[in-house]
């Protein structure tokens, strides 16, 4: 991204912002500004789907992005299971928003790049999940199943309904998935 920006014509001006969130138990939490919890997904004619009150951080280098990613990674929800010492208990989404403005004709383009780290599906018998860990596993499996159903519906010509709204992951990624 920054290589492209550095090599673009001088009439272009760029703004790059980063946000990072986790979806834990179908609740959205800002991983950089950890006081922002239980955030809502909104829809706007101009912005499309977005997470309300999610912090946005202006960046000008790969190093600045990596610093924010490290902060977010340290704030993720993890837990010990029989399968893994640091099992991710949530889905993590890193959003890179790039806005370019052509200063000659004043046209503007905005794009979003989502990098997603999905928590792995849980086999309850192998992980030994009980209590809260069991509930986490159910939520992980449900959202992964919904993602599969959305992808299947998008590829099935006979499908007339795509279940984006059944999971926060698919709702946030709706535009990227084709909705």
């Amino acid at each position: 991204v920054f290589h492209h920006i550095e090599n673009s014509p001088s009439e272009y001006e760029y703004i790059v912002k980063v946000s990072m969130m986790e979806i834990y138990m179908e609740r959205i939490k800002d991983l950089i500004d950890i006081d922002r919890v239980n955030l809502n997904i909104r829809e706007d004619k101009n912005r499309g789907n977005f997470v309300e009150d999610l912090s946005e951080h202006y960046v000008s280098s790969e190093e600045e992005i990596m610093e924010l990613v490290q902060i977010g990674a340290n704030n993720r929800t993890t837990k010990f299971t029989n399968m893994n010492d640091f099992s991710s208990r949530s889905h993590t989404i890193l959003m890179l928003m790039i806005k370019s403005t052509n200063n000659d004709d004043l046209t503007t383009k905005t794009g979003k790049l989502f990098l997603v780290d999905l928590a792995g599906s849980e086999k309850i018998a192998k992980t030994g999940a009980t209590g809260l860990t069991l509930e986490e596993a159910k939520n992980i499996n449900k959202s992964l199943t919904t993602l599969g159903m959305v992808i299947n519906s998008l590829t099935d010509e006979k499908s007339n309904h795509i279940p984006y709204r059944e999971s926060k992951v698919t709702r946030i990624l709706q535009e990227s998935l084709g909705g």
Side-chain angles (χ1 to χ4, degrees):
V1 169
F2 292 105
H3 177 73
H4 176 77
I5 290 171
E6 289 171 13
N7 293 311
S8 66
S10 61
E11 67 266 16
Y12 286 93
E13 184 176 300
Y14 292 88
I15 296 173
V16 181
K17 296 188 282 188
V18 171
S19 298
M20 192 170 177
M21 68 192 101
E22 85 172 342
I23 301 171
Y24 170 73
M25 302 280 286
E26 283 298 300
R27 290 195 178 120
I28 302 170
K29 172 184 165 186
D30 192 313
L31 286 174
I32 298 170
D33 183 352
I34 58 170
D35 293 330
R36 298 178 186 213
V37 295
N38 207 17
L39 304 176
N40 294 311
I41 300 169
R42 300 284 185 222
E43 191 171 338
D44 179 78
K45 190 171 91 176
N46 297 323
R47 291 178 67 184
N49 292 343
F50 67 98
V51 177
E52 186 176 46
D53 296 327
L54 183 66
S55 66
E56 298 177 328
H57 304 270
Y58 292 91
V59 292
S60 59
S61 68
E62 294 170 26
E63 293 77 23
E64 289 178 4
I65 292 175
M66 293 310 297
E67 287 174 16
L68 292 170
V69 167
Q70 188 59 53
I71 291 167
N74 291 339
N75 290 325
R76 283 190 75 178
T77 303
T78 60
K79 196 173 279 172
F80 172 85
T81 69
N82 290 345
M83 297 287 292
N84 194 336
D85 288 346
F86 295 98
S87 177
S88 171
R89 309 313 299 158
S90 64
H91 306 301
T92 301
I93 300 174
L94 175 74
M95 183 179 71
L96 194 64
M97 185 159 60
I98 304 162
K99 180 179 179 181
S100 69
T101 303
N102 181 327
N103 290 323
D104 287 347
D105 63 12
L106 300 179
T107 57
T108 300
K109 294 181 182 177
T110 303
K112 293 179 194 174
L113 173 66
F114 291 97
L115 301 173
V116 183
D117 180 12
L118 296 171
S121 65
E122 299 270 327
K123 293 197 181 217
I124 306 306
K126 287 188 176 184
T127 61
T130 59
L132 179 60
T133 307
L134 178 61
E135 291 305 310
E136 292 168 344
K138 288 178 186 177
N139 276 284
I140 290 167
N141 290 343
K142 181 179 183 253
S143 65
L144 292 173
T145 299
T146 302
L147 178 60
M149 289 175 9
V150 165
I151 292 168
N152 188 48
S153 295
L154 287 167
T155 59
D156 182 3
E157 294 176 8
K158 297 177 185 172
S159 179
N160 57 4
H161 172 70
I162 301 169
Y164 292 116
R165 293 181 179 264
E166 293 182 21
S167 166
K168 301 252 171 121
V169 171
T170 53
R171 184 87 168 101
I172 291 169
L173 299 176
Q174 181 174 344
E175 294 168 349
S176 296
L177 291 168

